[in-house]
Amino acid sequence: MASGGEQKVVLITGCSSGIGLRIAVLLARDELKRYHVIATMRDLRKKDRLVEAAGDTYGKTLTLLSLDVCSDDSVRQCIDSVKDRHIDILINNAGVGLLGPVESISMDDMKKVFETNFFGTVRMIKEVMPDMKKRRSGHIIVMSSVMGLQGVVFNDVYTASKFAIEGFCESMAVQLLKFNVKLSLIEPGPVHTEFETKMMEEVAKMEYPGADADTVRYFKDVYIPSSIDIFEALGQTPEDIAKCTKKVIESSRPRFRNLTNSLYTPIVAMKYADESGGLSVHTFYNLLFNFGSLMHITMSILKCLTCSCLRRRTISPD
């Protein structure tokens, strides 16, 4: 048990793999045992990887519950099963991606992304927020993305879902401040996960009915190779994001926005440097369509831009 008080109850969504799994294990392995982690996932048949990574913390500082963020009943039942419905820290990590030309994506598939990434997060916050406000205590963490700040071509719907949750949280943070409840966004750039790797492999092979031949060619022959270059040059690991998240949780004055990758600071800053929006749009256009062959060099230059002044604007895993 942590000295100086009881363990904080931390509920995390989307823990079957990737970032959610790593956050759950990192907090459960805290040397001071400050956290009781409730790791959740939609399908408990996918628990093996988490249980293995948790090791001897499983059943002690880490427990497992079933939770589907897209279901009102599932969310309510999960929170009801927690003692006194008491959650100190809610980490909204569950999310899905969607990539490709918009013309070839069904409206139903678009709605599924928003149902998980936006409404799923809102559903969780609505369920735990009343008790936090009543206690005048609590911390809500939302796993957003740099794509919640800067749009990325061919990620139109995913980006829109992250912009939506950023706007929701920016509005909600003002109210919660009055109740002494903290709200923090974690904004990673590219993260090396099996999910991302598998998605890249699949989209390169898919057909895209409804999209014209030029658009499909730009997507497969220009965007995909460039995206792979970016992942290789700028990508962080799920462990990096977990360490950043732990830092935010343990900060006495946690920031509202927390970019995890200092290499993205100039990219985000560029958007706000030109109120017309043209600078960022034309820069990304040129990077993708006019200087695609120089992408490797561009990534190297971006790496060199990492300096102390940029790092201060991010939350570092180190």
Side-chain angles (χ1 to χ4, degrees):
M1 183 68 67
S3 60
E6 294 184 354
Q7 287 177 313
K8 289 187 175 181
V9 178
V10 185
L11 188 140
I12 311 169
T13 66
C15 292
S16 62
S17 63
I19 294 170
L21 184 152
R22 288 300 155 194
I23 295 174
V25 171
L26 183 66
L27 295 180
R29 290 189 179 280
D30 179 66
E31 289 183 0
L32 300 177
K33 294 183 170 59
R34 289 171 289 183
Y35 308 106
H36 173 68
V37 177
I38 302 171
T40 72
M41 59 187 70
R42 185 174 53 184
D43 185 356
L44 289 180
R45 290 173 297 182
K46 296 181 178 180
K47 69 179 181 180
D48 292 351
R49 191 177 301 176
L50 173 62
V51 171
E52 181 181 352
D56 58 6
T57 67
Y58 182 64
K60 296 175 183 175
T61 53
L62 186 146
T63 57
L64 191 57
L65 289 177
S66 172
L67 171 65
D68 179 0
V69 300
C70 297
S71 163
D72 289 345
D73 289 341
S74 176
V75 168
R76 192 176 304 110
Q77 287 169 13
C78 178
I79 303 302
D80 283 345
S81 70
V82 177
K83 184 181 178 183
D84 299 326
R85 302 183 103 247
H86 182 112
I87 307 293
D88 293 295
I89 302 166
L90 169 66
I91 302 180
N92 295 283
N93 170 73
V96 295
L98 188 62
L99 189 60
V102 166
E103 302 97 313
S104 63
I105 301 173
S106 72
M107 293 304 295
D108 282 343
D109 284 343
M110 295 184 196
K111 289 176 182 177
K112 286 176 185 175
V113 170
F114 268 80
E115 188 57 53
T116 299
N117 295 1
F118 179 72
F119 291 111
T121 298
V122 172
R123 190 174 281 113
M124 291 302 302
I125 292 173
K126 279 189 66 179
E127 196 67 30
V128 305
M129 183 174 64
D131 182 63
M132 286 184 174
K133 289 168 73 173
K134 191 182 298 181
R135 289 186 284 114
R136 298 295 199 272
S137 175
H139 196 171
I140 297 169
I141 306 280
V142 174
M143 194 60 59
S144 182
S145 167
V146 73
M147 288 194 211
L149 298 169
Q150 172 64 59
V152 176
V153 64
F154 292 120
N155 287 267
D156 319 82
V157 178
Y158 176 79
T159 293
S161 73
K162 292 301 184 181
F163 264 71
I165 202 61
E166 289 257 344
F168 175 85
C169 290
E170 191 172 287
S171 304
M172 186 60 65
V174 177
Q175 179 203 147
L176 291 177
L177 193 61
K178 188 67 176 173
F179 293 88
N180 197 41
V181 176
K182 302 164 187 170
L183 196 159
S184 299
L185 292 161
I186 310 293
E187 297 161 327
V191 180
H192 296 292
T193 65
E194 289 183 12
F195 165 75
E196 296 289 351
T197 303
K198 185 179 178 184
M199 185 168 69
M200 286 291 188
E201 291 173 353
E202 288 178 352
V203 296
K205 299 173 186 174
M206 288 171 60
E207 300 296 325
Y208 293 93
D212 60 272
D214 282 343
T215 299
V216 174
R217 178 166 56 81
Y218 294 144
F219 175 60
K220 288 188 174 184
D221 299 342
V222 180
Y223 170 78
I224 294 293
S226 297
S227 185
I228 291 170
D229 280 345
I230 290 170
F231 264 82
E232 289 178 355
L234 307 184
Q236 293 180 294
T237 65
E239 289 82 0
D240 290 333
I241 310 307
K243 289 175 184 176
C244 291
T245 304
K246 190 169 187 282
K247 273 191 173 183
V248 172
I249 288 170
E250 293 172 359
S251 170
S252 58
R253 296 181 65 184
R255 292 186 296 198
F256 173 61
R257 282 201 167 88
N258 299 273
L259 280 166
T260 68
N261 193 328
S262 59
L263 291 166
Y264 271 82
T265 306
I267 294 173
V268 173
M270 180 173 61
K271 177 176 180 176
Y272 296 102
D274 171 23
E275 64 183 21
S276 76
L279 179 61
S280 60
V281 170
H282 287 98
T283 298
F284 279 101
Y285 174 86
N286 285 321
L287 278 174
L288 188 64
F289 294 114
N290 292 340
F291 306 126
S293 60
L294 298 178
M295 185 60 75
H296 284 292
I297 298 172
T298 304
M299 291 303 104
S300 298
I301 292 170
L302 276 173
K303 276 188 170 181
C304 293
L305 283 173
T306 306
C307 61
S308 59
C309 63
L310 297 182
R311 281 194 290 268
R312 281 198 296 271
R313 297 181 65 179
T314 63
I315 183 80
S316 167
D318 303 317

